[in-house]
Amino acid sequence: QNRLFLEDVRSAIVVVLKALFLRGYRLEEQEWQIAFRTAKDLIVFIPYFIILIIPMSPPGHVLVFSLIGKFFPNFVPSPFLIRRQNLSRIVGDLAVGLN
């Protein structure tokens, strides 16, 4: 998850730098989505991390995160979603298969 999160941040930085320093360069729809998703993930990651470091029992964390997921479905940063992790694993397996 951390690797995926860091890759997202790196991609967003590259996209933002392109938009800032290349004259006349307009971001494509996919680049906007990368930048927006990563900005949202960075904002959401701070309270998510704070909740993780609060000393609680494992069932307490499960209860807190299940309640948060019920009332705030977009609270979890995207690199920590099972869907993104599975997609990353499939892409990695394909890359290994092609080599």
Side-chain angles (χ1 to χ4, degrees), residues 54-70:
I54 293 174
M56 268 192 261
S57 65
H61 275 109
V62 170
L63 177 65
V64 167
F65 282 115
S66 63
L67 288 174
I68 289 172
K70 182 176 183 175

